[in-house]
Structure formats: structure tokens, C-alpha cells
Amino acid sequence: MSQEKRIGIFDSGFGGLDVTRAIVAALPEYEYLYLGDTARAPYGDRSQETIYAFTKQAVEFLFAHDCELVILACNTASSEALRKIQQEYLPRYAPDKRVLGVLIPAAEDAMEKSSGKKIGVIATTGTVASGAYTRELAKFDQGVQVFQNACPLLVPIVESGEQDSPETFTVLERYLAPLLREHIDTLILGCTHYGILESQIRTIVGPNVTIISSAAVVPDKLRAYLARHPELEAGLSKGGSIRFFSTDATDTFKRLGSKLFERDIEVEKVSLG
Ligand code: DGL
């Protein structure tokens, strides 16, 4: 049996490579496996039941490939599946393994930085419908006001490489207008793909709204988590490599994934379930 102990990163597709790049840059010493469920993406409009079933299969795959710790880079999976995995699946089937999401780190950072506790969230339909951001933000402060908007057009826009078009700017303006009318002071980019739209979003929201993105937040939170769990950290292999798995190793995954990861990636095709 392999002695490797890795960090697994899961996303519904390749969008999670954005936060993966930031994690690997900040913590280059560990061994990583990235898994994108491209064949079944997007998850954003699927039912909670399906998202849980798919995410569980992905976590099982990563555990079977020597991952001690799995990060759900996907906001939709973090919103719809993480709690059940942590509360029901892990205690029963993998009590020594850990699964973390990207939602709590973003919520925590937003609460630290928000001046007026008026926080906007843009995300997929599934993430917004789950109410997970509202719930997690309220845990820090019951008085927080959360304004959410589902942005179902943004993932297809990014995946078709249209992020810089004038039409995209118009779509973003439409999605952000209801949040700006509420005078939000902080905006959470609650989806893997939205980091790539950050400069357009900044232009629309102006300089006074703090933007929270996974890539900027998760690496430091992960470092702090590992420092709080020295027994886990000491057991992780230090080799500095990363492998990429996808359930549908398409040219798009390679092309857009390489762009998000800022390095050419080779993808190995695997099946889940
Ligand atoms: N990865 C998803 C998220 O962060 C976006 C893409 C999808 O809908 O699968 O919510």
C-alpha cells in the first residue's frame, strides 16, 4: 500500500483550479490530487440529493487515492453536501479523515472585513437556495444582513471564454444591481468561476465594496487549520507534486484549467461511482 498522504481538492469541474493554484502557491510542500467531475458538471442547478451523492463519490475516490484531507473547492458542494459528509458520512466510514469546504473560510473573512455587516453573496442557484452562506454568516453575528443573488449565466459565460465581452459586463451589472441597491459593503464571490470576473465586478461595485474570493482567503485558512492540527500536518507527505483527475478529460478542461492554474496541466480520466 502507498505510504503517501495527500491533500485532495474536489470541484464539479475545472473552476476549482483557481483556488487550487493559490493553495499550491502558498503551501507548495504538500502532495495534491485534484479531481474535477467534469462529466456531470455543472452542479449548480442540481438537487441537494444529487449533489450529495456525487460529492460523496468524489470524496470516496480521493480517500481511496491516499488523501487524508479533502477540500471541497466547489461552493455548491460545500453548501449542499459538506455538512452531511462531516456529520453523517465521516463518523461512520472514515473517522480519521477530514473534509473541509470553502464556504466557512469566505464567511469568516467577510465578517472580519465587513464594516457595516451588509454582505452580498453571488453564487449558483443551488448555493443560494441552500441558504448556507446566510446560515454561516449569522453564526458569527446574528445581526448581519445578507443579500444573495443567484447568477446562473456566469458559469457558462466563463466556460465559453466570454468573460471580457461587453455582454458579460451587462449581465454582471444586472446581477449586481439588486445587491448595490441594498448598499452592501462586502461581496462574497460564492462560486469557483467568479474569481475570473473579479476585475469587471470591481468596476461595477466600485472601490468601497470589499470583495471576498476563495483564492484570496482559503490558503491562509488552510495554513491556520494545519497549524491547529499538527498531528494531521506531520503525517502529510511532503513532495510538492500535483496530479489532476477528471471524469471527462476534455480539451476544455486542459485549456481553461491550464489558464486558471497558470501552468500547463495533464489530466487523467477516471470514473466515479
Ligand atoms: N463549482 C461550482 C461552484 O463553485 C460552479 C460550477 C457548477 O455549477 O458546477 O458553485
Side-chain angles (χ1 to χ4, degrees):
M1 225 175 100
S2 160
Q3 295 302 302
E4 296 295 328
K5 288 189 191 300
R6 302 187 165 102
I7 297 177
I9 303 179
F10 169 65
D11 181 39
S12 54
F14 56 80
L17 287 166
D18 186 36
V19 67
T20 302
R21 171 188 37 76
I23 291 172
V24 173
L27 302 163
E29 62 271 39
Y30 301 109
E31 303 270 18
Y32 295 93
L33 283 192
Y34 181 92
L35 171 64
D37 191 9
T38 327
R40 301 186 295 193
Y43 280 15
D45 292 317
R46 292 188 182 275
S47 69
Q48 192 270 334
E49 211 179 11
T50 301
I51 294 165
Y52 175 73
F54 288 177
T55 305
K56 184 164 81 68
Q57 287 171 354
V59 166
E60 283 170 340
F61 174 91
L62 289 167
F63 285 169
H65 287 78
D66 308 312
C67 293
E68 288 296 295
L69 166 67
V70 170
I71 298 160
L72 304 183
C74 178
N75 282 260
T76 307
S78 297
S79 304
E80 301 271 45
L82 179 62
R83 266 210 312 183
K84 197 165 168 195
I85 285 177
Q86 287 176 334
Q87 291 173 3
E88 295 175 25
Y89 178 82
L90 290 182
R92 195 152 169 211
Y93 298 107
D96 299 331
K97 308 264 189 180
R98 321 288 173 98
V99 182
L100 305 173
V102 288
L103 206 127
I104 295 173
E108 193 180 8
D109 197 57
M111 290 306 280
E112 275 164 21
K113 294 189 173 146
S114 167
S115 50
K117 303 290 177 272
K118 292 187 91 167
I119 298 180
V121 179
I122 51 172
T124 62
T125 307
T127 298
V128 167
S130 75
Y133 269 108
T134 309
R135 189 176 61 236
E136 293 303 334
L137 287 161
K139 281 188 194 160
F140 293 102
D141 181 345
Q142 287 272 329
V144 66
Q145 287 181 277
V146 184
F147 304 95
Q148 304 193 89
N149 205 7
C151 306
L153 293 177
L154 297 186
V155 166
I157 281 174
V158 170
E159 298 205 346
S160 57
E162 288 295 319
Q163 60 269 14
D164 296 320
S165 76
E167 291 80 9
T168 299
F169 197 82
T170 309
V171 170
L172 278 170
E173 281 182 313
R174 208 181 75 211
Y175 281 142
L176 291 166
L179 306 182
L180 292 174
R181 271 199 296 278
E182 301 292 347
H183 303 289
I184 57 163
D185 59 73
T186 302
L187 176 67
I188 296 176
L189 308 186
C191 173
T192 43
H193 290 53
Y194 299 176
I196 213 166
L197 298 165
E198 187 167 340
S199 63
Q200 290 93 315
I201 293 172
R202 168 59 70 206
T203 306
I204 296 165
V205 301
N208 297 327
V209 173
T210 302
I211 295 178
I212 309 289
S213 72
S214 294
V217 171
V218 171
D220 280 351
K221 299 284 183 196
L222 178 59
R223 192 198 310 279
Y225 179 86
L226 292 173
R228 286 198 308 278
H229 296 86
E231 71 303 336
L232 169 70
E233 198 285 331
L236 291 172
S237 304
K238 319 284 188 300
S241 72
I242 179 160
R243 284 173 73 187
F244 302 93
F245 295 104
S246 167
T247 50
D248 194 6
T250 58
D251 284 349
T252 315
F253 189 104
K254 261 200 81 174
R255 188 168 45 80
L256 286 175
S258 298
K259 195 168 159 191
L260 283 173
F261 196 65
E262 293 178 1
R263 208 163 88 192
D264 276 350
I265 59 172
E266 288 306 322
V267 187
E268 299 165 58
K269 190 172 171 193
V270 294
S271 311
L272 295 181

